[in-house]
Amino acid sequence: MLKSLSTAPPKNATYADLVALPEHLVGEILNGELIASPRPAAPHATATSVLGMDIGSPFQRGRGGPGGWWIMFEPELHFNDDVLVPDLAGWRKERMPEVPNQAWFDLPPDWICEVVSPSTARIDRIRKMPIYARPSVSHAWLVDPLQRTLEVFRLQEQRWVVIGNYEGNVTVRAESFDVIELELGALWLPEVPAQPTDER
């Protein structure tokens, strides 16, 4: 008589699994699954760095802007069992007066930004955006340095609503930082001209 084989449900990843990853990988836990991503390539790193400076200077340091924010590069966010690492995140100082002296944040930010790449776009859009909505992160940006686009989302009744789509080298005012102008062209690497081909 054949015995039926029962398949045990997959074991949820733990924080120890995340810590055990090699240092060159960025680890996250999304709905129980360990996700490991390589460090970003130059277009991704450039967009993140420039955007962090352009927003951090007026909104965290108050230079040419209102201040009142903490802007962080790659903070580790803990939402119950989920662990996420957005490229950028911001907290209004009225909600988080002081930065906690710990390795991660369990207070949801007011704004997150994911700079998408071909290897992470599906994870950022399909897997992470719904998780950001659960603890009521109020604004999210998706920046694509290869397509040269910025998508701006606002959370309304636990659903993400697109409130702005921008492309190319335009100057924009985008929530939650619409009191200043952002030059999107500064986020992109120069385009490399196509090389002529020797067709015979």
Side-chain angles (χ1 to χ4, degrees), residues 159-186:
R159 295 174 62 90
W160 290 114
V161 176
V162 178
I163 58 171
N165 276 312
Y166 309 99
E167 182 179 17
N169 297 333
V170 297
T171 299
V172 305
R173 291 182 181 270
E175 288 188 15
S176 290
F177 306 108
D178 48 358
V179 299
I180 66 166
E181 292 184 336
L182 290 173
E183 297 180 10
L184 290 192

Side-chain angles (χ1 to χ4, degrees), residues 19-20 23-24 29 42 57 67 77 83 86 89 103 138 140 143 153 175-176 181-182 188 193 195:
V19 171
E23 290 186 4
H24 68 280
I29 299 175
S57 183
L77 309 178
V83 179
S138 57
V143 174
F153 299 83
E175 288 188 15
S176 290
E181 292 184 336
L182 290 173
W188 324 131
Q195 298 295 320

Side-chain angles (χ1 to χ4, degrees), residues 27-45:
E28 300 177 291
I29 299 175
L30 310 178
N31 297 317
E33 181 182 356
L34 179 65
I35 304 293
S37 303
R39 286 289 173 185
H44 182 293

Side-chain angles (χ1 to χ4, degrees), residues 34-53:
L34 179 65
I35 304 293
S37 303
R39 286 289 173 185
H44 182 293
T46 299
T48 304
S49 298
V50 173
L51 188 58
M53 290 186 290

